[in-house]
Amino acid sequence: KVFELYLPTPEVHCTVFEDNISCIAIAESYKFSPQTEHIALKYHHFRKMVQNKRIILKSITSAEQTADILTKPLKDDAFEYVRRKLNGW
């Protein structure tokens, strides 16, 4: 080798805000159950990242879930509240 490059793997940590308590329980669980045996491989990778403390899960109420504006129809007042959270107007 002429030039040896040092390329470290970056440490990435993120926080996921979730309004589904069951989802948080499955992600933080260390054991498998009949309900979790058919979960897709990518979700097992997510569980591993949660267990390694690279992903932190925080519980929030459904009213505070900002992603809902992108995934489902909202009532007018909920839509305006989430829109203000996103845009400030």
Side-chain angles (χ1 to χ4, degrees), residues 1-26:
K1 296 180 183 179
V2 178
F3 297 104
E4 190 170 325
L5 294 175
Y6 174 67
L7 299 172
T9 304
E11 283 287 322
V12 177
H13 299 276
C14 71
T15 302
V16 175
F17 297 96
E18 180 59 55
D19 62 351
N20 187 327
I21 302 299
S22 298
C23 174
I24 293 173
I26 289 173

Tab-separated table of all heavy atoms in Angstrom, residues 1-26:
chain	number	residue	atom	x	y	z
A	1	LYS	N	0.843	-1.194	0.000
A	1	LYS	CA	0.000	0.000	0.000
A	1	LYS	C	0.877	1.243	0.000
A	1	LYS	O	1.802	1.363	0.785
A	1	LYS	CB	-0.894	0.032	1.238
A	1	LYS	CG	-1.885	-1.080	1.291
A	1	LYS	CD	-2.720	-0.950	2.562
A	1	LYS	CE	-3.669	-2.112	2.638
A	1	LYS	NZ	-4.483	-2.091	3.821
A	2	VAL	N	0.540	2.149	-0.848
A	2	VAL	CA	1.291	3.387	-0.920
A	2	VAL	C	0.813	4.361	0.144
A	2	VAL	O	1.597	4.855	0.944
A	2	VAL	CB	1.172	4.020	-2.325
A	2	VAL	CG1	1.907	5.335	-2.388
A	2	VAL	CG2	1.683	3.056	-3.388
A	3	PHE	N	-0.471	4.631	0.135
A	3	PHE	CA	-1.057	5.555	1.114
A	3	PHE	C	-2.149	4.818	1.883
A	3	PHE	O	-3.126	4.377	1.302
A	3	PHE	CB	-1.685	6.778	0.429
A	3	PHE	CG	-0.689	7.624	-0.313
A	3	PHE	CD1	-0.613	7.582	-1.688
A	3	PHE	CD2	0.164	8.456	0.385
A	3	PHE	CE1	0.298	8.360	-2.363
A	3	PHE	CE2	1.073	9.232	-0.289
A	3	PHE	CZ	1.150	9.186	-1.667
A	4	GLU	N	-1.967	4.718	3.141
A	4	GLU	CA	-2.988	4.098	3.962
A	4	GLU	C	-3.932	5.177	4.470
A	4	GLU	O	-3.496	6.161	5.061
A	4	GLU	CB	-2.370	3.357	5.131
A	4	GLU	CG	-3.360	2.509	5.866
A	4	GLU	CD	-2.699	1.591	6.876
A	4	GLU	OE1	-1.590	1.111	6.613
A	4	GLU	OE2	-3.317	1.392	7.923
A	5	LEU	N	-5.199	5.005	4.197
A	5	LEU	CA	-6.197	5.980	4.614
A	5	LEU	C	-6.873	5.526	5.897
A	5	LEU	O	-7.212	4.355	6.054
A	5	LEU	CB	-7.264	6.151	3.537
A	5	LEU	CG	-6.810	6.767	2.223
A	5	LEU	CD1	-7.948	6.755	1.232
A	5	LEU	CD2	-6.299	8.175	2.446
A	6	TYR	N	-7.050	6.464	6.779
A	6	TYR	CA	-7.776	6.191	8.012
A	6	TYR	C	-9.191	6.734	7.836
A	6	TYR	O	-9.396	7.941	7.778
A	6	TYR	CB	-7.085	6.849	9.210
A	6	TYR	CG	-7.867	6.729	10.483
A	6	TYR	CD1	-8.059	5.489	11.098
A	6	TYR	CD2	-8.426	7.843	11.081
A	6	TYR	CE1	-8.781	5.364	12.258
A	6	TYR	CE2	-9.156	7.731	12.247
A	6	TYR	CZ	-9.325	6.492	12.836
A	6	TYR	OH	-10.054	6.369	13.989
A	7	LEU	N	-10.149	5.851	7.699
A	7	LEU	CA	-11.539	6.243	7.517
A	7	LEU	C	-12.373	5.636	8.637
A	7	LEU	O	-12.897	4.524	8.518
A	7	LEU	CB	-12.061	5.769	6.155
A	7	LEU	CG	-11.336	6.322	4.937
A	7	LEU	CD1	-11.811	5.650	3.674
A	7	LEU	CD2	-11.525	7.817	4.846
A	8	PRO	N	-12.501	6.353	9.746
A	8	PRO	CA	-13.262	5.791	10.871
A	8	PRO	C	-14.761	5.753	10.568
A	8	PRO	O	-15.278	6.573	9.817
A	8	PRO	CB	-12.969	6.761	12.016
A	8	PRO	CG	-12.682	8.051	11.330
A	8	PRO	CD	-12.010	7.688	10.021
A	9	THR	N	-15.429	4.803	11.147
A	9	THR	CA	-16.879	4.729	11.030
A	9	THR	C	-17.486	5.771	11.967
A	9	THR	O	-17.161	5.800	13.150
A	9	THR	CB	-17.375	3.327	11.433
A	9	THR	OG1	-16.709	2.365	10.627
A	9	THR	CG2	-18.866	3.203	11.240
A	10	PRO	N	-18.350	6.630	11.438
A	10	PRO	CA	-18.924	7.677	12.300
A	10	PRO	C	-19.874	7.089	13.335
A	10	PRO	O	-20.559	6.101	13.088
A	10	PRO	CB	-19.677	8.577	11.319
A	10	PRO	CG	-19.940	7.729	10.140
A	10	PRO	CD	-18.829	6.717	10.073
A	11	GLU	N	-19.889	7.682	14.499
A	11	GLU	CA	-20.827	7.319	15.554
A	11	GLU	C	-22.123	8.078	15.307
A	11	GLU	O	-22.142	9.299	15.332
A	11	GLU	CB	-20.270	7.696	16.926
A	11	GLU	CG	-19.212	6.761	17.431
A	11	GLU	CD	-19.779	5.416	17.878
A	11	GLU	OE1	-20.877	5.394	18.468
A	11	GLU	OE2	-19.115	4.417	17.621
A	12	VAL	N	-23.171	7.357	15.044
A	12	VAL	CA	-24.457	7.978	14.768
A	12	VAL	C	-25.440	7.571	15.853
A	12	VAL	O	-25.582	6.393	16.163
A	12	VAL	CB	-24.998	7.545	13.386
A	12	VAL	CG1	-26.376	8.137	13.131
A	12	VAL	CG2	-24.030	7.928	12.295
A	13	HIS	N	-26.087	8.545	16.443
A	13	HIS	CA	-27.119	8.314	17.440
A	13	HIS	C	-28.332	9.151	17.056
A	13	HIS	O	-28.177	10.283	16.601
A	13	HIS	CB	-26.641	8.712	18.844
A	13	HIS	CG	-25.454	7.928	19.297
A	13	HIS	ND1	-25.567	6.696	19.874
A	13	HIS	CD2	-24.132	8.192	19.234
A	13	HIS	CE1	-24.366	6.236	20.168
A	13	HIS	NE2	-23.480	7.129	19.785
A	14	CYS	N	-29.513	8.596	17.205
A	14	CYS	CA	-30.706	9.373	16.883
A	14	CYS	C	-31.820	9.046	17.870
A	14	CYS	O	-31.790	8.022	18.555
A	14	CYS	CB	-31.153	9.138	15.446
A	14	CYS	SG	-31.839	7.523	15.135
A	15	THR	N	-32.791	9.923	17.908
A	15	THR	CA	-33.952	9.756	18.769
A	15	THR	C	-35.175	9.575	17.880
A	15	THR	O	-35.390	10.350	16.957
A	15	THR	CB	-34.142	10.980	19.679
A	15	THR	OG1	-32.953	11.162	20.447
A	15	THR	CG2	-35.321	10.797	20.610
A	16	VAL	N	-35.958	8.548	18.170
A	16	VAL	CA	-37.189	8.276	17.434
A	16	VAL	C	-38.353	8.528	18.386
A	16	VAL	O	-38.401	7.974	19.475
A	16	VAL	CB	-37.221	6.820	16.914
A	16	VAL	CG1	-38.547	6.502	16.259
A	16	VAL	CG2	-36.068	6.581	15.951
A	17	PHE	N	-39.271	9.387	17.971
A	17	PHE	CA	-40.453	9.694	18.764
A	17	PHE	C	-41.595	8.805	18.278
A	17	PHE	O	-41.977	8.874	17.111
A	17	PHE	CB	-40.820	11.176	18.633
A	17	PHE	CG	-39.755	12.079	19.173
A	17	PHE	CD1	-38.808	12.631	18.342
A	17	PHE	CD2	-39.692	12.347	20.526
A	17	PHE	CE1	-37.811	13.457	18.839
A	17	PHE	CE2	-38.703	13.163	21.043
A	17	PHE	CZ	-37.756	13.719	20.194
A	18	GLU	N	-42.125	7.977	19.161
A	18	GLU	CA	-43.127	6.982	18.788
A	18	GLU	C	-44.360	7.123	19.665
A	18	GLU	O	-44.242	7.300	20.875
A	18	GLU	CB	-42.524	5.584	18.930
A	18	GLU	CG	-43.443	4.459	18.580
A	18	GLU	CD	-43.949	4.530	17.154
A	18	GLU	OE1	-43.146	4.605	16.220
A	18	GLU	OE2	-45.185	4.526	16.993
A	19	ASP	N	-45.543	7.032	19.039
A	19	ASP	CA	-46.782	7.129	19.807
A	19	ASP	C	-47.427	5.766	20.045
A	19	ASP	O	-48.482	5.676	20.635
A	19	ASP	CB	-47.774	8.079	19.135
A	19	ASP	CG	-48.197	7.624	17.751
A	19	ASP	OD1	-47.608	6.662	17.222
A	19	ASP	OD2	-49.116	8.244	17.183
A	20	ASN	N	-46.779	4.702	19.631
A	20	ASN	CA	-47.304	3.356	19.802
A	20	ASN	C	-46.496	2.641	20.892
A	20	ASN	O	-45.342	2.267	20.681
A	20	ASN	CB	-47.219	2.612	18.467
A	20	ASN	CG	-47.883	1.273	18.505
A	20	ASN	OD1	-47.889	0.597	19.526
A	20	ASN	ND2	-48.432	0.873	17.378
A	21	ILE	N	-47.103	2.434	22.046
A	21	ILE	CA	-46.425	1.816	23.185
A	21	ILE	C	-46.001	0.379	22.869
A	21	ILE	O	-44.941	-0.070	23.277
A	21	ILE	CB	-47.332	1.858	24.438
A	21	ILE	CG1	-47.726	3.302	24.774
A	21	ILE	CG2	-46.655	1.198	25.631
A	21	ILE	CD1	-46.577	4.205	25.096
A	22	SER	N	-46.837	-0.359	22.137
A	22	SER	CA	-46.499	-1.739	21.776
A	22	SER	C	-45.272	-1.801	20.887
A	22	SER	O	-44.428	-2.688	21.029
A	22	SER	CB	-47.676	-2.408	21.064
A	22	SER	OG	-48.787	-2.474	21.909
A	23	CYS	N	-45.157	-0.860	19.989
A	23	CYS	CA	-43.989	-0.785	19.113
A	23	CYS	C	-42.724	-0.566	19.937
A	23	CYS	O	-41.693	-1.206	19.698
A	23	CYS	CB	-44.193	0.340	18.108
A	23	CYS	SG	-42.758	0.669	17.085
A	24	ILE	N	-42.791	0.316	20.906
A	24	ILE	CA	-41.633	0.586	21.774
A	24	ILE	C	-41.286	-0.661	22.580
A	24	ILE	O	-40.112	-1.018	22.706
A	24	ILE	CB	-41.924	1.791	22.699
A	24	ILE	CG1	-42.036	3.072	21.868
A	24	ILE	CG2	-40.844	1.930	23.761
A	24	ILE	CD1	-42.492	4.280	22.654
A	25	ALA	N	-42.304	-1.360	23.093
A	25	ALA	CA	-42.062	-2.569	23.891
A	25	ALA	C	-41.376	-3.650	23.063
A	25	ALA	O	-40.438	-4.308	23.528
A	25	ALA	CB	-43.376	-3.088	24.459
A	26	ILE	N	-41.800	-3.846	21.826
A	26	ILE	CA	-41.171	-4.858	20.963
A	26	ILE	C	-39.756	-4.455	20.621
A	26	ILE	O	-38.836	-5.278	20.638
A	26	ILE	CB	-42.005	-5.067	19.683
A	26	ILE	CG1	-43.302	-5.789	20.027
A	26	ILE	CG2	-41.222	-5.841	18.637
A	26	ILE	CD1	-44.279	-5.892	18.880
